[in-house]
Amino acid sequence: MNALLTQAGFALCDTVPLLQDLPRRWAGQGDFTVLEIGGASQFEAIAQTWRDDPQRSQRLHGVSLHAGGGGLKGVHRQLQSDPRITHTTAVGDVTALLPQLRLGADAIWLDAALSGWDVRLLRHCARLCRPGAQLYTHDLTAQPRWHAAPLAAPWPETQKHALVIGAGIAGASVADRLAARGWQVTVLDAADAPARGASGLWLGALHPHFSQDDCLLSRASRAAMVLAVQRFNQLRAQSPHSGWNPCGVAHPATHAEEEAGLRQLCEQLQLPETVVRFLERDALSAQAGAELPLGGYWHAQTGVVDVRQLVDLMLAQPAVRWQPRSRVHRIERTSGHWQALDAQGQPLAQAPVMVLANAGDAPRLAPQLASLLPVRGQMTALAAAAVQAPQAAVVGHGYVLPAHLGRVSVGATYAPGSTDPAPTQADHETNLQSLAVLLPQHPAVGVGQVTDSFVGTRYASNDHMPLVGPVPDVSDTRWLATAAGKRLTDWPRLEGLYCAAGYGSRGLSWSVLAGEIIASHLCGEPAPLEAALMDALDPARFGQRAVRKGL
Ligand SMILES: Cc1cc2nc3c(=O)[nH]c(=O)nc-3n(C[C@H](O)[C@H](O)[C@H](O)COP(=O)(O)OP(=O)(O)OC[C@H]3O[C@@H](n4cnc5c(N)ncnc54)[C@H](O)[C@@H]3O)c2cc1C
């Protein structure tokens, strides 16, 4: 290892055990990041040493990269009860995942016994180092002789104020994640109450996307769902009004060929049972509390959300100020602040950082963003007393959700290109048809039994992934002329302007992850996802694709 480290550009220094050296290293710092690679995780011991140390840094970030046993593969943020600590796990092939990490490390611990170390990987470790970082193994300590440009510096302590446009689940989650990091957040919305857009639905289901090739959308939505469940559980433990019901989600097949496909995909993906299991019809029906057509997926840890309640709770935090009746006509940056202006050009509010969480209207305020396609949807309500509601959410082609506040929700239709707010009889019929397919033993329900409807517009990008992160700056045409071979992380950005929009039909899943990505970027923390997935969500990706196609 000594020779490899030297070849990779590290200088060997006096050997000091990691845990013993950390207090000297983090004393008086703002943020301190430890990356541990291979072996059993020491992060709990590191975090305890940090907590016990009165001279500790203000915040501690840990990233634990290891092969894992049956754990969920990929990079995942593990929310902590102490908001000053972030912990990110990266599970899988260590040599493949190391280049997927985005972070600036102050200390790296590596298990020298791990097979596969070579000069290339150790150089990659050096590239992840901040100036002054040290690398530790059980019997040596080394310092990189050079370091790459660090990640974006944390936003200055004195300017931690963000203005969020949009008080749906997207805006509320960004506010929630920033408030957890000690930011002041002002949330503006055109409406007179929060969650009056697509997030006004009474109840929505949280479940991931699956595909044969486990594509980027599947991987990202799975990571998003797992993180959302963590945050919703935290909120549920804090308040009886979180709106979160972790009742489980059943996804039955509706014909034999589909059932075989779901079974085969479950075997192929080898995901932990906490994320998904294939259950035969009787077992799945027992979990759902309803007679289902066939076997299928069972997501035990997820469930349904009353989105309005959840948004209200997130906005009720002391660090969050909610400002209704504030339609933003345009935005501009003046004297280091982003201003939101009304139709008369009067400022509604301003802050050093602005987050566009106003769904389909975000590209109007920042034309650098790709336009988003409206997709109208209608949900149908039935009186709970008149329906044999399932105890878990039953999803597939549409969904039937457990009874909530006296109603059973059946949804939802999907009409690309339409924003018509008026409910239609035809859409109720479509939803009731879904109910008949998902719960074939249920007595027939007619449109005459419909008690209420919800109509909303989701907004989706043309690659079905949301736009999450810093808004690109496309004003420098000379830079753009050379941009074809550049990485997305090299793209110029409009300082302090972020986007969290385009959540399509999966707003509940994306919400917490998007908030965490933006907050992590602003605070100079490790990214909560692997680089390939961060790029797949990056609002600059459309510009990069256009440049590469020579458009
Ligand atoms: C019928 C239906 C069923 C659905 N079911 C599910 C489900 O089961 N599971 C799931 O995950 N997702 C579901 N979705 C999708 C989910 O509702 C959306 O993805 C999510 O609500 C989008 O959240 P948002 O905050 O981005 O947008 P919105 O909730 O629409 O919020 C945007 C906010 O921005 C405000 N705004 C816009 N422009 C301006 C401006 N210029 N100035 C000030 N404010 C502005 C609006 O007033 C609005 O409050 C469903 C959607 C529909 C329509």
Side-chain angles (χ1 to χ4, degrees):
M1 184 50 92
N2 292 19
L4 283 178
L5 278 168
T6 312
Q7 278 179 54
F10 283 84
L12 301 183
C13 27
D14 291 343
T15 303
V16 202
L18 172 74
L19 275 179
Q20 200 176 310
D21 204 25
L22 284 176
R24 175 184 73 82
R25 304 279 325 288
W26 62 41
Q29 305 273 353
D31 290 77
F32 193 88
T33 300
V34 184
L35 167 63
E36 44 171 13
I37 307 173
S41 173
Q42 310 180 63
F43 186 68
E44 261 318 303
I46 293 170
Q48 196 52 51
T49 307
W50 182 84
R51 281 188 211 100
D52 293 343
D53 181 2
Q55 309 297 323
R56 61 181 173 252
S57 54
Q58 286 171 27
R59 288 165 295 274
L60 173 70
H61 311 295
V63 178
S64 307
L65 169 57
H66 56 97
L72 183 58
K73 299 238 178 334
V75 176
H76 297 278
R77 179 62 47 90
Q78 310 296 335
L79 293 182
Q80 306 294 299
S81 51
D82 183 342
R84 298 168 304 170
I85 301 178
T86 69
H87 187 210
T88 308
T89 51
V91 177
D93 177 349
V94 170
T95 56
L97 271 178
L98 185 62
Q100 289 291 321
L101 298 180
R102 280 196 187 150
L103 56 93
D106 299 292
I108 299 183
W109 190 90
L110 66 83
D111 177 11
L114 198 76
S115 60
W117 283 114
D118 59 22
V119 174
R120 188 183 57 88
L121 280 174
L122 289 170
R123 280 203 181 120
H124 202 90
C125 287
R127 249 178 248 131
L128 294 175
C129 285
R130 283 203 183 114
Q134 280 193 188
L135 179 144
Y136 305 77
T137 73
H138 68 283
D139 62 357
L140 60 84
T141 305
Q143 267 183 340
R145 288 205 178 84
W146 52 272
H147 50 83
L151 291 184
W155 200 260
E157 282 295 325
T158 52
Q159 293 188 22
K160 290 188 167 177
H161 178 204
L163 180 57
V164 177
I165 315 292
I169 185 72
S173 299
V174 170
D176 175 60
R177 299 293 72 218
L178 284 172
R181 288 160 171 87
W183 282 60
Q184 294 298 311
V185 190
T186 304
V187 182
L188 292 188
D189 201 289
D192 55 10
R196 287 298 181 265
S199 305
L201 67 164
W202 318 298
L203 210 58
L206 182 67
H207 57 105
H209 178 268
F210 283 97
S211 57
Q212 282 291 339
D213 58 351
D214 205 23
C215 65
L216 293 170
L217 173 61
S218 302
R219 287 163 54 201
S221 78
R222 188 158 65 232
M225 183 199 79
V226 170
L227 187 62
V229 167
Q230 287 184 53
R231 182 61 190 140
F232 297 170
N233 282 338
Q234 283 183 338
L235 289 166
R236 188 166 185 262
Q238 281 165 24
S239 164
H241 306 294
S242 67
W244 168 233
N245 174 6
C247 55
V249 173
H251 177 169
T254 50
H255 54 84
E257 200 184 326
E258 186 189 5
E259 187 185 47
L262 297 186
R263 184 187 282 111
Q264 189 259 324
L265 192 55
C266 231
E267 284 165 9
Q268 177 196 318
L269 292 176
Q270 302 244 314
L271 294 168
E273 291 197 344
T274 48
V275 176
V276 64
R277 287 167 71 186
F278 181 89
L279 293 182
E280 302 297 341
R281 193 190 83 95
D282 288 351
L284 192 62
S285 299
Q287 295 288 3
E291 290 284 318
L292 301 179
L294 286 166
Y297 297 146
W298 172 240
H299 308 287
Q301 294 195 337
T302 179
V304 294
V305 192
D306 177 327
V307 190
R308 285 191 185 192
Q309 274 195 29
L310 190 81
V311 167
D312 284 346
L313 186 62
M314 286 174 162
L315 296 184
Q317 306 186 46
V320 180
R321 194 172 75 85
W322 146 245
Q323 186 174 320
R325 295 175 286 281
S326 302
R327 178 171 297 284
V328 181
H329 184 66
R330 67 184 172 88
I331 58 171
E332 67 181 28
R333 187 163 165 86
T334 34
S335 315
H337 279 68
W338 281 98
Q339 272 195 341
L341 302 154
D342 68 11
Q344 285 71 46
Q346 295 303 310
L348 292 159
Q350 64 171 29
V353 169
M354 180 183 280
V355 183
L356 301 176
N358 53 330
D361 196 42
R364 183 182 65 77
L365 296 180
Q368 301 85 341
L369 296 170
S371 58
L372 298 169
L373 175 73
V375 183
R376 178 189 176 281
Q378 181 171 320
M379 209 151 116
T380 298
L382 302 165
V387 185
Q388 292 155 23
Q391 284 148 21
V394 180
V395 306
H397 304 287
Y399 54 64
V400 186
L401 306 182
H404 175 65
L405 302 176
R407 34 159 104 90
V408 173
S409 304
V410 186
T413 56
Y414 194 88
S418 171
T419 57
D420 186 350
T424 69
Q425 173 129 338
D427 274 22
H428 286 316
E429 281 164 4
T430 304
N431 287 337
L432 295 179
Q433 181 58 31
S434 296
L435 182 143
V437 171
L438 290 169
L439 305 179
Q441 306 301 321
H442 196 285
V445 181
V447 172
Q449 289 170 264
V450 172
T451 53
D452 206 349
S453 50
F454 169 79
V455 179
T457 304
R458 321 134 167 125
Y459 286 88
S461 70
N462 70 9
D463 64 8
H464 307 288
M465 301 283 265
L467 312 181
V468 180
V471 173
D473 178 358
V474 292
S475 62
D476 186 346
T477 46
R478 275 196 309 178
W479 188 90
L480 283 178
T482 63
K486 298 258 170 60
R487 293 172 308 179
L488 272 177
T489 42
D490 295 332
W491 273 60
R493 309 287 168 151
L494 290 169
E495 196 185 0
L497 187 64
Y498 287 75
C499 176
Y503 290 11
S505 298
R506 297 185 180 276
L508 306 184
S509 299
W510 296 125
S511 57
V512 181
L513 177 65
E516 197 69 13
I517 288 175
I518 290 172
S520 297
H521 191 273
L522 279 165
C523 297
E525 297 169 4
L529 269 186
E530 45 267 56
L533 300 183
M534 293 289 289
D535 284 352
L537 301 173
D538 191 325
R541 66 190 185 273
F542 296 100
Q544 187 193 50
R545 285 173 204 164
V547 165
R548 287 187 174 163
K549 283 185 188 152
L551 300 174

